[in-house]
Amino acid sequence: MTRAVVFAYHDVGCRCLEVLLARGIEVPLVVTHEDSPGENIWFGSVAALARSRGLPIATPEDANESSFVAKVRELRPDFIFSFYYRSMLRKELLSVAPGFNMHGSLLPKYRGRVPVNWAIVQGEIETGATLHEMVEKPDAGRIVDQEAVPILPDDQAVDVFRKVTGAAERVLVRSLPSLIAGTAVLRVQDLSKGSYFGGRKPEDGRIDWRESAKRIHDLVRAVAPPYPGAFTQIEGKRLRVLRTRTLPRRAPARPTAFLQVENDRVLAACVDGGSLELLETELDGKALSAQEFAHRIGARRVLLS
């Protein structure tokens, strides 16, 4: 029977672990993370799934520490899989058995952290899931298989992440037979055609009103809840902009962006001449309906900077 030690977290971790179990892979150890108390845990629990299947679990602070690597080696796995595990697996651990990682982009594009969010921020119209060989350099190993999914104009990050999760499951199902048989044909990545992005912080959701309407709309949907959300300051108060819609009309470029009300709708007139309708907002921590926001602004133009 094929044995695999699985490093996993998040929804992709759950779905891919289930694929291995459904295909008869023996999993002598599931390595995952303790949930962070300060994080919004909106996704599935790999630890809970593993417990429900009677699988041994480990949550090491450093999976690359020599004593933990020795523990993994003693299990004599045929494969090491990483499914949205948040830490890099280093050389000593990868020497135990062939290692493969499921990444949430169409490599070599969007190597690195939070690839779904970055793809939306950058205005991409597709992304996907890629199963690749693990090497010391992040997300740089040879590709086993990948599958694209569309990013629609109003998709939020959580919508795209669900699509990527489905693609990850299908890629793993397709790839397992050839990996187990040793017949998989791996494709070398051309990293010059890709990109690497680091992690994102809540502060990265600050709206830059010097950007175009589309760029602002892309930021809003890339960080919309359950992520921290886009935000700005208006009249000394923090405004979270949780959902927007781009409007088809165009106007001449403006020196500055501003908010105004039209027919009980709050619109952001952007510097490129484009406009956004603000559909969901929160002012100083309190949800604000479009009608309430429109009443608050009235006939004024509120400058945005």
Side-chain angles (χ1 to χ4, degrees), residues 145-222:
D145 191 13
Q146 58 188 176
E147 181 175 315
V149 298
I151 302 176
L152 301 182
D154 292 318
D155 275 349
Q156 296 185 333
V158 68
D159 303 315
V160 180
F161 193 86
R162 290 188 182 113
K163 297 179 190 180
V164 168
T165 301
E169 180 179 28
R170 292 187 293 273
V171 166
L172 185 59
V173 167
R174 286 199 303 266
S175 301
L176 269 179
S178 61
L179 286 177
I180 293 169
T183 58
V185 178
L186 278 57
R187 173 167 54 88
V188 175
Q189 292 191 58
D190 182 351
L191 299 185
S192 68
K193 295 182 178 179
S195 49
Y196 182 89
F197 289 82
R200 292 185 61 85
K201 305 179 294 297
E203 180 62 24
D204 296 326
R206 182 182 295 275
I207 297 171
D208 182 351
W209 291 104
R210 296 169 297 181
E211 295 280 8
S212 68
K214 183 183 183 305
R215 288 281 293 176
I216 294 168
H217 176 63
D218 289 342
L219 173 67
V220 169
R221 61 201 186 96

Side-chain angles (χ1 to χ4, degrees), residues 6-21:
V6 177
F7 292 73
Y9 195 62
H10 219 292
D11 287 343
V12 169
C14 290
R15 294 280 283 274
C16 289
L17 175 57
E18 288 188 301
V19 168
L20 295 184
L21 297 176

Side-chain angles (χ1 to χ4, degrees), residues 241-282:
V241 181
L242 305 181
R243 191 161 64 93
T244 56
R245 176 167 54 213
T246 57
L247 300 180
R249 68 183 189 184
R250 302 293 303 179
R254 309 172 175 95
T256 188
F258 58 85
L259 295 180
Q260 64 180 358
V261 174
E262 287 186 9
N263 300 320
D264 287 332
R265 298 187 303 167
V266 179
L267 307 183
C270 300
V271 295
D272 69 327
S275 295
L276 297 174
E277 181 178 359
L278 277 56
L279 300 173
E280 292 182 28
T281 57
E282 184 183 279

Side-chain angles (χ1 to χ4, degrees), residues 29-109:
L29 182 64
V30 174
V31 187
T32 188
H33 301 287
E34 298 281 359
D35 292 333
S36 171
E39 184 174 357
N40 178 18
I41 306 299
W42 55 271
F43 41 81
S45 169
V46 167
L49 172 62
R51 289 190 197 99
S52 74
R53 301 299 184 90
L55 302 176
I57 301 169
T59 56
E61 288 189 14
D62 181 6
N64 295 292
E65 199 273 325
S66 293
S67 62
F68 189 77
V69 173
K71 178 179 179 179
V72 173
R73 195 182 300 278
E74 288 171 4
L75 296 172
R76 302 179 66 83
D78 299 296
F79 295 99
I80 291 174
F81 286 107
S82 174
F83 304 131
Y84 263 67
Y85 191 71
R86 290 179 166 179
S87 301
M88 284 286 296
L89 306 186
R90 302 298 178 189
K91 184 176 181 179
E92 186 180 4
L93 189 51
L94 295 178
S95 70
V96 172
F100 296 93
N101 176 59
M102 187 67 73
H103 186 72
S105 78
L106 294 175
L107 292 176
K109 298 180 71 173

